[in-house]
Amino acid sequence: MRLLTQLLAPKAIAHAHCDLPCGVYDPAQARIEAESVKAIIEKYNANEDPAFRTRAIAIKEERSDLVKHHLWVLWTDYFKPPHFEKYPQLNQLFNEATKLAGAGGTKGSTDVAVANSLLAKIDEIAKVFWETKQA
Amino acid sequence: MRLLTQLLAPKAIAHAHCDLPCGVYDPAQARIEAESVKAIIEKYNANEDPAFRTRAIAIKEERSDLVKHHLWVLWTDYFKPPHFEKYPQLNQLFNEATKLAGAGGTKGSTDVAVANSLLAKIDEIAKVFWETKQA
Amino acid sequence: MRLLTQLLAPKAIAHAHCDLPCGVYDPAQARIEAESVKAIIEKYNANEDPAFRTRAIAIKEERSDLVKHHLWVLWTDYFKPPHFEKYPQLNQLFNEATKLAGAGGTKGSTDVAVANSLLAKIDEIAKVFWETKQA
Amino acid sequence: MRLLTQLLAPKAIAHAHCDLPCGVYDPAQARIEAESVKAIIEKYNANEDPAFRTRAIAIKEERSDLVKHHLWVLWTDYFKPPHFEKYPQLNQLFNEATKLAGAGGTKGSTDVAVANSLLAKIDEIAKVFWETKQA
Amino acid sequence: MRLLTQLLAPKAIAHAHCDLPCGVYDPAQARIEAESVKAIIEKYNANEDPAFRTRAIAIKEERSDLVKHHLWVLWTDYFKPPHFEKYPQLNQLFNEATKLAGAGGTKGSTDVAVANSLLAKIDEIAKVFWETKQA
Amino acid sequence: MRLLTQLLAPKAIAHAHCDLPCGVYDPAQARIEAESVKAIIEKYNANEDPAFRTRAIAIKEERSDLVKHHLWVLWTDYFKPPHFEKYPQLNQLFNEATKLAGAGGTKGSTDVAVANSLLAKIDEIAKVFWETKQA
């Protein structure tokens, strides 16, 4: 189904992200990493082997970093002044979302509830993102 | 709409990719980078400023590398022996797709047709990927 | 002189940045990269050799990325809600500063004036940063 | 002795790997990382200090990643269709070798036998590689 | 105060580091990472939570690597033959400082004394660096 | 033939490099990258297409960086005080070799003679390295 929407998606809903800029942005990049972080936390809590847990924590650190990076790119590169005027909550949304992927969030915690909060925050951002795309 | 399928997508169609493994894989990661590569090539051909073209080529190199990386991860980490038995064309598909993102493909070329071939190949892989997910 | 302030600097003015967090933050990290970007632009404009210019543009791209990264870290990891309340201009300051190191800023431009604007914006951020440190 | 073969090696047996491409490929890059992985596992099993073991696991993760990367580059960039026709086992060899450096291999295991299997698989690949070079 | 010296610093005391070269070098880059390493060790010793300690060790590894990298850049890119003649101790200073950030130093140890030795060594290097700048 | 020496090589001539340390070092890592740099320069001079030359320069920059990195690791991590006493030329050898891979060397130049000087310097280092291994 995902594949279909991908193939059928009108160019207007293209995804962009590089800093040429190529103009392709997609909150899915941050969400995929955040889903990975959540899965890692679930596997961490289900496995007491020290070696496995060490790997889980190290990988969770990297994946959380990727979540922060993809969100920062959207905040700085995709969103423009008019967006911030229309969505005054955007700055706080991004600051809270990136904090939720940091030391006070999924990096420092092994509580799946924290990963869920991060995912929810990313979905709030994605909702605004796709609204601006439809506009 | 993309957001919706994301929110509604059953866990069975989750996306995975890290090497814990977290179990989250999604061909969208490779496709997003490939769409970026295509957009970069289009902007390159529409702009003769040497400085801009230098940036476009350098960024296209990085993005093409990301396409290769995401595809390699799917080939090695997601697909298992039974998949290769059921889809004997998989090895060649991945080898051709990654070559299409390399020196003989989008790295070495500024022809948008090459980027389109890469995108088509990624969609063939995605089709197989989602079939195995539904299975 | 710089060395002296470094040796004499009270722990209270320590610099931090990792996401443990270690608590060491310092706007100097972003400023050093921005000074590098400015110097690269000056050398680019003073040298017409195509090979040199290609290197300058590729390196300027990386250094501008580092500026963005160091600023994003300060924005998300160092600054807390009380800071944003006391300095309502912070969000815009960081968004403008990171944009000034991106496609619409030092990445896309070879005009030294753009690098100067970036440096000025970083100094505004640094001024707020050190005020919160003295507090 | 190694140095000698290096100095005496005819240009025809040069090693290449970048994606210009420069034409320099050498399975030694993957093997050196795999030998490192094996040594790390041996030191891990000989030392019960938690801090040391944490470092060993984190570094083993990185080195295993490098093994995968170097092998992927050979599979996609060096080997051409004629090679795959002459050596039909190549695809499976590479898929198994990279899997042996992943979650189900040296990343997830601290058993030196797994590292030995990885080294043996790399040597099988190297044997084919050097045969194609002599051809 | 740091900000002031930054703003007042004559161009002659600029900081450089990229390999264009841009000509901007500053031992502060290595020192900030080393201060981070020291803070990480202090937090590691004050917290017995295994997950926290795993994160601390993994981050300490990365930050120690950055210290080594910044020092290597100064040693190779900034210092020229005349400097090595005037300061015959430079080679040993850099070799000892980078070793102090490696396996036998802050990577392998969780003793804050090791981090202090690293900081002291960096300050010796910084002292020479600023003398050559004033010259 | 290379493969053979690899398989027959006594453990005493193992290769090491990570900072656990795993104890595996091999000058071949630096040499392979330097050979790549030389091949890139040769292809650069044989091809006047601006897009190709931009790619060549950007890739040469990265590969030269890898040469510097691998040499720095040998200098700091492998060589110990007794080696520096027995081979007083080591510090200068490494400083000159890494400079030859930098702005004043293969990064800044497209002259194959510079790449040859770098390769010769690496071979001098390798000669000392293997002598210390046999010792």
Side-chain angles (χ1 to χ4, degrees):
Chain A
M1 199 160 316
R2 200 179 157 66
L3 177 68
L4 264 179
T5 47
Q6 217 128 36
L7 299 179
L8 302 175
K11 278 211 99 34
I13 308 189
H15 341 278
H17 65 348
C18 89
D19 220 346
L20 184 54
C22 61
V24 175
Y25 296 93
D26 193 337
Q29 292 189 295
R31 199 179 203 289
I32 289 172
E33 301 300 340
E35 286 171 1
S36 169
V37 168
K38 178 181 177 176
I40 291 167
I41 289 176
E42 288 169 338
K43 291 196 168 191
Y44 171 92
N45 291 313
N47 189 328
E48 301 205 330
D49 172 53
F52 180 85
R53 290 194 148 194
T54 295
R55 292 187 62 232
I57 288 169
I59 294 171
K60 177 166 66 79
E61 201 77 9
E62 291 170 5
R63 295 298 156 177
S64 295
D65 254 342
L66 287 171
V67 171
K68 293 174 77 168
H69 178 76
H70 288 308
L71 291 176
W72 280 332
V73 166
L74 286 178
W75 181 64
T76 290
D77 303 340
Y78 172 72
F79 287 106
K80 303 283 181 296
H83 296 133
F84 290 107
E85 278 161 38
K86 187 172 178 192
Y87 301 95
Q89 76 275 31
L90 264 182
N91 286 319
Q92 194 175 337
L93 253 182
F94 273 100
N95 196 262
E96 289 172 352
T98 45
K99 274 182 165 61
L100 272 169
T106 55
K107 278 187 176 179
S109 167
T110 53
D111 178 352
V112 76
V114 176
N116 284 327
S117 304
L118 173 59
L119 284 163
K121 202 67 84 177
I122 291 172
D123 289 339
E124 281 187 69
I125 288 171
K127 192 168 172 311
V128 172
F129 176 84
W130 294 114
E131 277 176 26
T132 61
K133 279 292 193 183
Q134 254 92 44
Chain B
M1 199 160 314
R2 202 179 154 66
L3 177 67
L4 263 179
T5 47
Q6 217 127 35
L7 300 180
L8 303 175
K11 277 207 99 33
I13 309 190
H15 341 276
H17 64 346
C18 89
D19 221 345
L20 183 54
C22 61
V24 175
Y25 297 93
D26 192 336
Q29 291 188 297
R31 199 180 203 288
I32 289 172
E33 301 300 340
E35 285 172 1
S36 169
V37 168
K38 178 180 176 176
I40 292 166
I41 289 176
E42 288 168 338
K43 291 196 168 190
Y44 172 91
N45 290 312
N47 189 329
E48 301 205 330
D49 172 53
F52 180 86
R53 290 194 147 194
T54 295
R55 292 187 62 231
I57 288 170
I59 295 171
K60 177 165 66 78
E61 202 77 8
E62 292 170 3
R63 295 298 156 177
S64 295
D65 255 343
L66 287 171
V67 171
K68 294 175 76 168
H69 178 76
H70 288 308
L71 291 175
W72 281 331
V73 166
L74 286 178
W75 182 64
T76 290
D77 303 341
Y78 172 73
F79 288 106
K80 303 282 180 298
H83 297 133
F84 291 106
E85 278 162 36
K86 187 172 177 192
Y87 299 96
Q89 76 276 31
L90 265 181
N91 286 320
Q92 194 175 337
L93 254 182
F94 274 100
N95 195 262
E96 289 173 351
T98 46
K99 274 181 165 61
L100 271 169
T106 55
K107 278 187 178 180
S109 168
T110 52
D111 178 352
V112 76
V114 176
N116 284 327
S117 304
L118 172 60
L119 284 164
K121 202 66 85 177
I122 291 172
D123 288 340
E124 281 187 69
I125 288 170
K127 192 168 171 310
V128 172
F129 175 85
W130 293 114
E131 278 176 26
T132 61
K133 280 292 192 181
Q134 253 93 46
Chain C
M1 202 160 310
R2 202 179 154 67
L3 177 66
L4 263 179
T5 47
Q6 216 127 32
L7 300 180
L8 302 176
K11 277 204 101 32
I13 309 190
H15 340 278
H17 64 346
C18 89
D19 221 344
L20 183 54
C22 61
V24 175
Y25 297 92
D26 192 337
Q29 292 188 297
R31 199 180 204 288
I32 289 171
E33 301 300 340
E35 286 172 1
S36 169
V37 168
K38 178 180 177 177
I40 292 167
I41 289 176
E42 289 169 337
K43 291 196 168 191
Y44 172 92
N45 290 313
N47 188 330
E48 301 205 330
D49 172 54
F52 180 86
R53 291 194 147 194
T54 295
R55 292 187 62 231
I57 288 169
I59 295 172
K60 177 166 66 79
E61 201 78 9
E62 291 170 4
R63 295 298 155 178
S64 295
D65 255 343
L66 287 171
V67 172
K68 292 175 77 168
H69 178 76
H70 288 308
L71 291 176
W72 281 332
V73 167
L74 286 179
W75 181 64
T76 290
D77 304 341
Y78 172 72
F79 288 106
K80 303 282 181 297
H83 298 132
F84 290 106
E85 277 161 38
K86 187 171 178 194
Y87 300 94
Q89 77 277 29
L90 264 182
N91 287 319
Q92 194 174 338
L93 253 182
F94 273 100
N95 196 263
E96 289 172 351
T98 46
K99 275 182 165 60
L100 271 169
T106 55
K107 278 187 177 180
S109 167
T110 51
D111 178 353
V112 75
V114 177
N116 284 327
S117 305
L118 172 60
L119 283 164
K121 202 67 84 175
I122 291 173
D123 289 339
E124 282 186 69
I125 288 171
K127 191 168 172 312
V128 173
F129 175 85
W130 294 115
E131 276 176 25
T132 60
K133 280 291 193 183
Q134 253 93 47
Chain D
M1 197 161 315
R2 200 179 158 64
L3 177 68
L4 264 179
T5 47
Q6 217 127 33
L7 299 180
L8 302 175
K11 278 211 96 36
I13 309 189
H15 341 279
H17 64 347
C18 89
D19 220 345
L20 184 54
C22 61
V24 175
Y25 297 92
D26 192 338
Q29 291 188 295
R31 199 180 204 287
I32 289 172
E33 300 301 340
E35 286 171 1
S36 169
V37 169
K38 178 181 176 176
I40 292 167
I41 289 176
E42 288 169 338
K43 291 196 168 190
Y44 172 92
N45 290 313
N47 189 329
E48 300 205 332
D49 173 53
F52 180 85
R53 290 194 149 195
T54 296
R55 293 187 62 230
I57 288 169
I59 294 171
K60 177 166 66 78
E61 201 78 8
E62 292 170 3
R63 295 298 156 178
S64 295
D65 254 342
L66 287 171
V67 172
K68 293 175 76 167
H69 179 76
H70 288 308
L71 291 175
W72 280 331
V73 167
L74 286 178
W75 181 64
T76 290
D77 303 341
Y78 172 72
F79 288 105
K80 303 283 180 298
H83 296 133
F84 290 107
E85 277 162 38
K86 187 172 177 192
Y87 300 96
Q89 76 275 31
L90 264 183
N91 287 319
Q92 194 175 337
L93 253 182
F94 273 100
N95 195 262
E96 289 172 352
T98 45
K99 275 183 164 62
L100 271 169
T106 55
K107 277 187 178 179
S109 167
T110 52
D111 178 352
V112 74
V114 176
N116 284 327
S117 304
L118 172 60
L119 284 163
K121 202 67 85 176
I122 291 173
D123 289 339
E124 281 187 69
I125 288 171
K127 193 169 171 310
V128 172
F129 176 84
W130 293 114
E131 278 175 26
T132 61
K133 279 293 194 182
Q134 254 92 44
Chain E
M1 199 161 316
R2 198 179 160 65
L3 177 68
L4 264 180
T5 46
Q6 217 127 30
L7 299 180
L8 303 175
K11 278 211 98 34
I13 308 189
H15 342 278
H17 64 349
C18 89
D19 219 346
L20 184 53
C22 61
V24 175
Y25 297 92
D26 192 337
Q29 291 189 296
R31 198 180 205 287
I32 289 172
E33 301 300 340
E35 285 171 1
S36 169
V37 168
K38 177 181 177 176
I40 292 166
I41 289 177
E42 289 169 336
K43 292 195 168 191
Y44 172 92
N45 291 313
N47 188 328
E48 301 205 329
D49 172 53
F52 180 85
R53 289 194 150 196
T54 296
R55 292 187 62 230
I57 288 169
I59 295 171
K60 176 166 66 79
E61 201 78 8
E62 291 170 3
R63 295 299 157 175
S64 295
D65 254 342
L66 287 171
V67 171
K68 293 175 76 167
H69 178 75
H70 288 308
L71 291 175
W72 281 332
V73 167
L74 286 178
W75 182 63
T76 290
D77 303 341
Y78 172 72
F79 288 106
K80 304 283 181 296
H83 297 133
F84 290 107
E85 277 162 39
K86 187 171 177 192
Y87 301 95
Q89 76 275 31
L90 264 182
N91 287 319
Q92 193 175 338
L93 253 182
F94 273 100
N95 195 263
E96 289 173 351
T98 46
K99 275 182 165 62
L100 271 168
T106 55
K107 278 187 177 179
S109 167
T110 52
D111 178 351
V112 74
V114 176
N116 284 328
S117 304
L118 172 60
L119 284 163
K121 201 67 83 177
I122 291 173
D123 289 339
E124 282 187 69
I125 289 171
K127 192 168 171 311
V128 172
F129 176 84
W130 293 114
E131 277 176 25
T132 62
K133 280 292 194 183
Q134 253 93 45
Chain F
M1 198 158 315
R2 203 178 154 66
L3 176 67
L4 261 180
T5 46
Q6 216 128 33
L7 299 180
L8 303 176
K11 277 207 101 31
I13 308 190
H15 340 276
H17 64 348
C18 90
D19 220 344
L20 184 56
C22 61
V24 175
Y25 296 93
D26 192 337
Q29 291 189 298
R31 198 180 205 288
I32 289 172
E33 301 301 340
E35 285 171 0
S36 169
V37 168
K38 178 181 176 176
I40 292 167
I41 289 176
E42 288 168 338
K43 291 196 168 192
Y44 171 92
N45 290 313
N47 188 329
E48 301 206 330
D49 172 53
F52 181 86
R53 291 195 147 193
T54 295
R55 293 187 61 232
I57 287 169
I59 295 171
K60 177 165 65 79
E61 201 78 8
E62 291 171 4
R63 295 297 155 177
S64 295
D65 254 342
L66 287 170
V67 171
K68 293 176 76 169
H69 178 76
H70 288 308
L71 291 175
W72 281 331
V73 166
L74 286 178
W75 181 64
T76 290
D77 303 341
Y78 172 72
F79 288 105
K80 304 282 181 296
H83 297 132
F84 291 106
E85 278 162 38
K86 186 171 177 192
Y87 300 94
Q89 77 276 30
L90 264 182
N91 287 320
Q92 193 175 339
L93 253 182
F94 273 100
N95 196 262
E96 288 172 352
T98 46
K99 275 183 164 61
L100 271 169
T106 56
K107 278 187 177 180
S109 168
T110 52
D111 178 352
V112 76
V114 176
N116 284 327
S117 305
L118 173 59
L119 283 163
K121 202 67 83 175
I122 291 173
D123 288 339
E124 280 187 69
I125 288 171
K127 192 168 172 310
V128 172
F129 175 85
W130 293 114
E131 277 176 24
T132 61
K133 281 291 193 182
Q134 253 93 45

